[in-house]
Amino acid sequence: MFIQLITPLIATSAIASYCLLYTDDAINVPQVSRTANAQIAHDQAKAKSWVHDNQDYPRNVWFVMFWSIDNGDYQGQGHVALAFLDDAGNLQIHDSEVHRGAREAYTDLNEFYNWFGSVGTRMTFLGWSEGVDNVKIIDEIKTENEVKEVKIDKTKLEKYEMWKVYAFPFFVYRDQSLNRNIFYRIY
């Protein structure tokens, strides 16, 4: 389960071929953190262990998606978008093509590949990410069911079992004196 740290301003305007600029502007990435292209941004996010190379998208939070561009003038520069998946499984992908007014949001990866394929561009999905350009927009939260089991070395435990702890809680009266007559034995 993930929590939204930064909600993107999806309605940010965009320029064709400036997907990273759109994404960075939508989440307000500081100028000092912005990288030259989406492939560099992907590699940086992957080094931070933010990229998940699967399609098990988090639900009800905005997240980042990355692709490689495998041919043409933009080969090696990558592509990036912002996406949202609701509980009903409805996906929306927003990139510079959508927000320059060329089309509506993509609703699945096939629609995305068909759009870019119509101009001969081949792309490969690299994964979804928790952030981009040093800005994390979602963070995983651990639920109570995700408690890790800890193994205890019983030989070490037996060594310390002989120790008993006595606690003396001190109660303060209104006159600021202490009541030291109560103690508990803790095993």
Side-chain angles (χ1 to χ4, degrees):
M1 178 178 230
F2 285 84
I3 185 170
Q4 194 80 59
L5 301 175
I6 296 173
T7 302
L9 180 57
I10 294 303
T12 299
S13 62
I15 302 167
S17 303
Y18 286 88
C19 58
L20 183 59
L21 178 64
Y22 164 74
T23 304
D24 283 351
D25 286 351
I27 63 172
N28 201 23
V29 172
Q31 288 297 323
V32 69
S33 294
R34 294 181 183 218
T35 54
N37 63 51
Q39 190 64 53
I40 294 170
H42 164 267
D43 296 346
Q44 186 183 71
K46 190 166 181 73
K48 292 179 178 294
S49 299
W50 290 355
V51 176
H52 305 264
D53 59 357
N54 59 53
Q55 292 180 24
D56 298 328
Y57 310 127
R59 293 190 180 246
N60 300 311
V61 291
W62 288 96
F63 56 93
V64 177
M65 296 177 89
F66 286 108
W67 293 265
S68 66
I69 299 178
D70 304 330
N71 69 327
D73 294 341
Y74 299 104
Q75 183 175 1
Q77 294 190 20
H79 187 71
V80 63
L82 292 165
F84 187 90
L85 180 67
D86 66 19
D87 279 333
N90 300 310
L91 178 66
Q92 50 179 303
I93 303 170
H94 295 257
D95 67 359
S96 56
E97 291 298 302
V98 171
H99 291 281
R100 73 178 179 96
R103 57 160 295 120
E104 294 295 316
Y106 312 90
T107 57
D108 61 38
L109 289 179
N110 287 332
E111 188 178 336
F112 177 87
Y113 291 128
N114 289 339
W115 173 261
F116 282 95
S118 70
V119 294
T121 304
R122 286 190 321 271
M123 302 175 88
T124 302
F125 181 66
L126 299 176
W128 62 272
S129 178
E130 298 170 29
V132 62
D133 280 348
N134 290 314
V135 175
K136 196 168 190 182
I137 66 169
I138 60 174
D139 198 16
E140 190 169 13
I141 54 175
K142 303 291 183 194
T143 62
E144 291 178 21
N145 296 340
E146 296 179 30
V147 176
K148 293 182 179 175
E149 188 175 315
V150 178
K151 299 244 183 207
I152 299 173
D153 183 353
K154 295 209 183 239
T155 59
K156 289 182 181 177
L157 183 62
E158 290 169 1
K159 177 180 173 183
Y160 295 106
E161 277 187 2
M162 64 181 181
W163 296 28
K164 301 293 181 195
V165 177
Y166 296 92
F168 296 90
F170 300 116
F171 298 97
V172 179
Y173 294 113
R174 287 183 192 210
D175 67 355
Q176 310 249 338
S177 63
L178 297 177
N179 176 353
R180 297 179 188 199
N181 296 327
I182 301 171
F183 70 91
Y184 298 97
R185 185 178 199 174
I186 301 171
Y187 314 44

